[in-house]
Each structure stands twice: as structure tokens, then as C-alpha cells.
Amino acid sequence: MRKRLQSPLPKRHGLDAARLKLPAEGPWHTVRDHLVDRLPVAPERIDAMFAEQRFVGIDGPLSRDAPFVPDSFVWFHRDLPDEVEVPFDIDVLHQDDDLLVVHKPHFLATIPRGKHVLETALVRLRQRLDLPELSPAHRLDRVTAGLLVFVIRPELRGAYQTLFANRRVHKEYEAIAPVRDDLVLPTTIRNRIVKERGVIAAREVAGPPNAETHVELVERRGDIGRYRIVPTTGRTHQIRLHLASLGIPILGDRFYPTLTETPLDDFSRPLQLLAKTLAFTDPVSGEHRHFDSPASLGAWTSYADWDQPSYAAR
């Protein structure tokens, strides 16, 4: 296997530079011509990036009139989006030579994507702990709180990511949701969920099941309950969609059953879903690993405090 070219640019904010391979052929006379066609960036901004020596080839910075060379590579750091600060901390629960286990707060994305780059768990932890090669073994939705496992050594990344991808991890979630007296629990939901690219919400459709969730009511207080959720599969928004389909949508869910647009600086009424427990046989050491989040959900500990007006980040 051919060794991947090493980037001539250092990491920035714990992130690698983007790498583009130029096509084997095309009508472009300069690298700039190709980048104008390829990147979703205004030509004026691309010119400014050339002036700032932001585009780099294997031999160093590229000028605005650098010739187009088929099959060559260009590295650069993308412009960062204007981000809303997420005013909640990450709690480190466990760290050894191989793994880092943390409690991720609500509203913090796992990895950089779209409007979230610096305000993500991965970037925060790489910088805070000086672990530039840290990588996630799995992901949590931005609005879901709870346990996240990161791999410290790059050579072990595949083993742990495969463990999660192949569903060899026992996961338990906790959710706060309404109680229905006519709903027989515990129950297991099996159906088919699809999530289309570019569509925010997932949906249930007819067809062979690809999603399975076990739901049981642990405790009740008036009209709301604390639920134990054990997903066998890991489809996008699976737990949220399944509880909504049972008529007990999770408190604070702004996607299911009804999609509600919410500003990114609105941190009110966080989704009452917590990734509570992870357990697995370590693929490297063979030992049994078990982690529990010490966190509790706000609507259960104090509904009045949870049900507060929006907090706007500075």
C-alpha cells in the first residue's frame, strides 16, 4: 500500500489541513482556475488566500499563477465559521494509554462539521489535553449528552471504531418523557428507519427492520417518567424517533414528532436523552470495560430549572 503523503502544513486548532488531489486532466491553466471551479468559495476569497500563502504544494506555498499540474496535491486550512460558544464543559471520566472516556454535554457536536468546528468535543479535547492524534471511536448527536469514547493512539483507531461499527458494545441510555397509561412496557420496537442526505429528520418506512430499541419505564413522577433505553442498532436519531412513535416523545426534542427551527445560541430545554452506560470487551487488551456517566437529566432532578427561558451565548 502506498504511504499517504505527509501534509506540509502543521495542524491548526488540532485539525489537519484539507488535502485536494488535482484531476488527471482538465481545461485549467492554473491551480487557481481549478480551485475557483472546485471550492464553494468566492473567487475573491481564493485570491486572498493565495496572497496569504494559504495554498501549499509539496514543495511549499503556491502563487496565484502557479500552473495546473495533473495528479498533484494542494493543502490548505479552510476558513473557520463564526461559531456560537457552547457554555458547557466536557468531563473526563477515564484516561489510559489507549482510551479517553468523557461525558459530553448537550449542544456540543462530537466532530467538526458544517457550522461546528472549534466548538466540538474532538477539537476541545485535542487542545486541552495536548492529544493531536485523538480520534472518536463513535459519535453522539450534538443535542444528546453522555458517554463518548476517544482513541488516543492512531494505530488502535481501527480496532475500536470497528468494535462500535459491528455493534459489539452494550449501550444504555436514559430518557425523560411523558407517561402513557395505555402503553404496555417494557417493549421492543423493530422497524425500518431511513435518513436521507440533506433532510434533517429521519423517518420510519415500510420494509425489513434495520432498527431495534428496547424501552422500559424505570420510575414515574406524575405525567413524566424516567426510561431505560437499550438500542441494539444505531440508526441516526433512532431512540428519539422510536419514542416519538410510541407517543412519548423525549422532553426537549425539537425534531420529533414536529421539526422546530431553533437558533444555535438557544440552550434552553436541552434534549432529555443521556448516553448512560457503555460496556465492551477491549479489542486490544481483552479486558472487560464498563463505563457509567455520573450525570443526571435536568428535567428529572428539577423540572422547573430545566424549563427555563433561552440562554443566549455571547
Side-chain angles (χ1 to χ4, degrees):
M1 181 179 296
R2 183 184 301 177
K3 187 176 180 180
R4 181 182 176 90
L5 283 175
Q6 185 173 354
S7 172
L9 289 173
K11 292 179 184 290
R12 185 188 64 171
H13 305 300
L15 296 174
D16 291 322
R19 187 187 77 158
L20 294 181
K21 183 178 181 181
L22 303 188
E25 57 183 21
W28 310 282
H29 296 292
T30 66
V31 174
R32 177 197 180 275
D33 294 339
H34 176 68
L35 295 180
V36 167
D37 283 351
R38 185 168 180 177
L39 298 180
V41 180
E44 296 78 13
R45 182 59 195 142
I46 290 177
D47 289 339
M49 293 173 70
F50 272 110
E52 297 162 5
Q53 297 191 326
R54 294 269 299 278
F55 295 111
V56 175
I58 194 65
D59 296 319
L62 298 170
S63 64
R64 186 177 182 277
D65 58 356
F68 175 86
V69 179
D71 292 323
S72 64
F73 292 91
V74 175
W75 288 264
F76 66 101
H77 285 290
R78 301 181 188 276
D79 287 336
L80 294 173
D82 292 329
E83 295 187 64
V84 173
E85 179 185 354
V86 178
F88 310 111
D89 293 330
I90 303 172
D91 295 325
V92 174
L93 306 178
H94 170 86
Q95 183 176 352
D96 57 33
D97 291 339
D98 299 337
L99 295 182
L100 174 72
V101 183
V102 306
H103 169 81
K104 183 190 81 67
H106 297 285
F107 303 110
L108 188 69
T110 299
I111 62 172
R113 184 178 182 184
K115 297 179 180 180
H116 310 284
V117 179
L118 300 185
E119 290 297 307
T120 60
L122 178 63
V123 173
R124 278 194 186 183
L125 290 167
R126 280 181 173 180
Q127 296 185 86
R128 170 180 158 189
L129 302 176
D130 192 22
L131 294 172
E133 301 300 328
L134 192 70
S135 58
H138 63 119
R139 303 180 190 180
L140 282 180
D141 287 347
R142 186 180 71 89
V143 294
T144 301
L147 295 176
L148 260 181
V149 177
F150 291 86
V151 185
I152 293 177
R153 293 194 282 160
E155 65 270 23
L156 302 182
R157 182 180 306 159
Y160 288 104
Q161 289 179 343
T162 299
L163 182 78
F164 279 86
N166 290 347
R167 304 172 188 169
R168 298 202 301 270
V169 177
H170 176 76
K171 302 178 182 180
E172 293 186 15
Y173 288 72
E174 186 172 292
I176 310 301
V179 172
R180 280 183 51 193
D181 292 325
D182 61 336
L183 182 62
V184 177
L185 295 175
T187 189
T188 298
I189 308 168
R190 299 181 185 90
N191 62 11
R192 186 167 189 82
I193 292 176
V194 297
K195 173 70 167 62
E196 299 168 358
R197 183 182 295 273
V199 178
I200 295 178
R203 58 192 178 94
E204 297 170 320
V205 298
N210 64 358
E212 179 175 308
T213 306
H214 177 80
V215 181
E216 61 181 87
L217 179 62
V218 176
E219 191 175 357
R220 176 174 182 170
R221 291 180 186 166
D223 295 331
I224 64 171
R226 183 167 65 89
Y227 293 85
R228 175 176 174 264
I229 316 294
V230 182
T232 304
T233 55
R235 313 301 299 185
T236 299
H237 299 173
Q238 174 180 318
I239 295 174
R240 298 163 65 181
L241 189 55
H242 277 171
L243 264 67
S245 71
L246 289 175
I248 50 171
I250 300 172
L251 296 187
D253 197 336
R254 296 169 183 178
F255 280 21
Y256 308 99
T258 302
L259 179 62
T260 303
E261 294 290 338
T262 307
L264 291 177
D265 63 353
D266 182 353
F267 300 115
S268 65
R269 297 171 59 91
L271 177 73
Q272 294 300 279
L273 180 62
L274 172 68
K276 187 71 174 178
T277 299
L278 290 173
F280 55 88
T281 299
D282 193 294
V284 177
S285 68
E287 67 179 299
H288 179 70
R289 301 267 204 171
H290 184 107
F291 303 103
D292 288 302
S293 173
S296 54
L297 291 166
W300 192 252
T301 57
S302 175
Y303 186 92
D305 289 341
W306 171 78
D307 191 25
Q308 288 295 308
S310 172
Y311 172 89
R314 292 176 296 171

